[in-house]
Amino acid sequence: MRAAALPLLFTTLFASAAAMAGPLSVCTEASPEGFDVVQYNSLTTTNASADVLMNRLVEFDAAQGKVVPSLAESWEVSADGLVYDFKLRPGVKFHTTKYFKPTRALDADDVLFSFERMLFPAHAWHKLAPGGYPHAQSLQLPGLIKSVEAPDPQSVRFTLDHADATFLATLSMGFASIYSAEYADQLLKAGTPEKLNSQPIGTGPFVFQRFQKDAVVRYRANPDYFAGKPAVDPLIFAITPDANVRLQKLKRNECQIALSPKPLDIAEAGKDSNLKVESTPAFMTAFVAINSQHPPLDKPEVRQAINLAFDRPNYLKAVFEDTGTAATGPYPPNTWSYAKDLPGYPTDLKKAQALLAKAGLPEGFSTTIWTRPSGSLLNPNPNLGAQMLQADLAKVGIKAEIRVIEWGELIRRAKAGEHDLLFMGWAGDNGDPDNFLTPQFACSAVKSGTNFARYCDNRLDQLISAGRTTNDQSVRSRLYQQAQALIQQQALWLPLAHPTAAVLTRQGVEGYQVNPFGRQDFATVTTPR
């Protein structure tokens, strides 16, 4: 099958918007962990790197619900689903900066470098990522992709070991961004490969300028962007952990867009004639991961007791202020394989105590609750949420100490499996239900660190793998519903909520659309001068 080339009608739109060009300041909630996006799995890092600096072979258009061309203008897939041939868009330029001046346009060598360093241990760059490649590893790409070849400079061929229904959508994810092989060679020869993480180069709509941790990331508009230079210039990420401060900055026009507002802030902004609220149902789930490798959390009865002790309606009312819907499993209700008839865990303290007694813990036990210091879309009020869970667990004899850990350290240590109970959230990147299962529950994801429940089970692994090997949606749905039932029976998560993705903007900001996956696109935004 073939995807039609994407017509470049954007240039006229960008040119007409140029008259409205001006700076755009976005109040974000946390610092990125770095800019070499393949090393990380947090949405904050994807937003600051992949979304503004880079492009992928394809993108997932949330409005259309399908994969569309990007750096690849077209592609073909063999009848057996094993060979993907991509035709690259000609004349795409990498960023020119003080530290790198490209001598050629993007070609197949850049695609080969971008994937081979993640896939093949013998590659010169493979061991140069201190954090490894969590997405590539959890999605089992080294075992899926047999080879990446360049039939000619403008063509790339992926040959798979077996058919995979998720492969094309996977290529739209942030970690599949295309890097400059020429820049990588320059860094390797200079003995400074770590600069790929601090001085990034891409083909995207904005060019990196500087980063001050916990303060600001500055970008300038890319004059050579293949879809036309963005209207806003410069683009500034004003890192503002406190949601209340983000709102006040928006009101003072110090920011024109504020991400991750609290529910009360959304209500307040709706009453302000100078502000707008943009929202959409989010393809996300907030949860508490239960580390199944830490006794006594390794016992399903204990994990079930935690779920039964939790007062979810009270939590939703207090923390999400009724802006989120209750979660009973990993999938949001707008997922096509959502198991709507699975029973949840209603609050039942007596049953929870009975399960603890069955597990040999009639007097309860001690544990820890890990959470972040600042609020986000998936955790609007971290301190309150942790305190409510702590109080609920105390009712059945579980003594939980709350540990507030800075976001970057929290992610790093959680990926290493140091946590007991961990407030976390997951955003699907590409509309495919597997994007919740493989990264969060596959055995390979325990090794890569994204499986925060640290649970590896052959039955569950086989269900997840089988669902990826067929394009028959009815078969995939049946397998994924069985997987959801097993996840719930084992109580690997304490599911919390499915939020509404909301962003606050100033009046006069046009062209911004909230993405249900939490991705950010500022290339089409205009602001009044």
Side-chain angles (χ1 to χ4, degrees), residues 89-167:
R89 187 181 302 284
V92 175
K93 296 181 180 180
F94 280 100
H95 298 158
T96 295
T97 67
K98 293 179 180 178
Y99 49 87
F100 177 66
K101 292 179 172 54
T103 63
R104 60 168 177 80
L106 174 141
D107 66 21
D109 284 344
D110 302 304
V111 181
L112 266 59
F113 164 76
S114 300
F115 284 91
E116 287 179 343
R117 74 166 177 135
M118 292 188 286
L119 300 173
F120 305 132
H123 193 273
W125 275 81
H126 185 77
K127 295 181 180 179
L128 297 179
Y133 305 95
H135 264 119
Q137 292 160 359
S138 65
L139 293 171
Q140 304 168 49
L141 293 192
L144 173 64
I145 300 174
K146 288 177 65 176
S147 64
V148 190
E149 302 168 286
D152 62 67
Q154 291 302 117
S155 301
V156 177
R157 173 173 294 164
F158 289 83
T159 302
L160 307 186
D161 177 76
H162 53 271
D164 189 302
T166 70
F167 181 66

Side-chain angles (χ1 to χ4, degrees), residues 20 276 278 505-512 524-528:
M20 300 179 67
K276 294 187 293 184
E278 310 280 0
T505 75
R506 297 280 305 179
Q507 290 289 353
V509 172
E510 302 295 340
Y512 179 82
T524 58
V525 173
T526 61
T527 57

Side-chain angles (χ1 to χ4, degrees), residues 195-206:
K195 288 186 178 179
L196 196 68
N197 194 37
S198 60
Q199 295 182 343
I201 291 292
T203 58
F206 296 94

Side-chain angles (χ1 to χ4, degrees), residues 251-448:
K251 288 183 173 183
R252 295 193 298 265
N253 201 25
E254 294 175 19
C255 292
Q256 290 75 52
I257 295 178
L259 306 182
S260 300
K262 292 194 305 184
L264 279 178
D265 296 339
I266 295 171
E268 185 175 342
K271 300 173 185 177
D272 190 326
S273 61
N274 293 313
L275 307 181
K276 294 187 293 184
V277 178
E278 310 280 0
S279 64
T280 191
F283 196 60
M284 304 177 185
T285 303
F287 60 93
V288 174
I290 304 174
N291 191 336
S292 63
Q293 292 182 340
H294 283 190
L297 303 176
D298 57 334
K299 298 180 179 181
E301 295 88 355
V302 173
R303 301 192 297 267
Q304 292 164 2
I306 289 171
N307 272 264
L308 289 165
F310 183 61
D311 188 339
R312 185 175 290 100
N314 193 31
Y315 173 87
L316 284 172
K317 186 177 176 105
V319 175
F320 279 85
E321 298 174 53
D322 293 326
T323 61
T325 59
T328 58
Y331 285 167
N334 53 351
T335 311
W336 51 256
S337 56
Y338 177 70
K340 61 182 179 180
D341 296 325
L342 283 180
Y345 284 93
T347 307
D348 190 331
L349 299 182
K350 289 185 178 180
K351 189 172 182 180
Q353 290 170 325
L355 283 169
L356 289 175
K358 182 180 177 182
L361 299 162
E363 304 302 320
F365 61 94
S366 296
T367 190
T368 60
I369 297 171
W370 287 26
T371 194
R372 59 189 292 168
S374 59
S376 67
L377 174 61
L378 285 157
N379 193 352
N381 195 329
N383 288 329
L384 177 59
Q387 290 167 8
M388 294 183 75
L389 176 58
Q390 180 187 51
D392 286 343
L393 295 180
K395 294 174 185 175
V396 295
I398 300 174
K399 306 170 190 66
E401 175 194 350
I402 296 172
R403 296 182 182 174
V404 180
I405 303 173
E406 183 270 328
W407 175 243
E409 183 184 357
L410 181 79
I411 286 288
R412 180 182 61 80
R413 294 178 62 185
K415 285 170 64 177
E418 296 180 26
H419 61 284
D420 292 326
L421 305 178
L422 171 71
F423 273 87
M424 188 49 65
W426 192 256
D429 294 90
N430 57 27
D432 193 286
D434 176 74
N435 199 239
F436 281 84
L437 293 185
T438 293
Q440 284 295 321
F441 300 104
C443 293
S444 60
V446 176
K447 297 176 183 177
S448 69

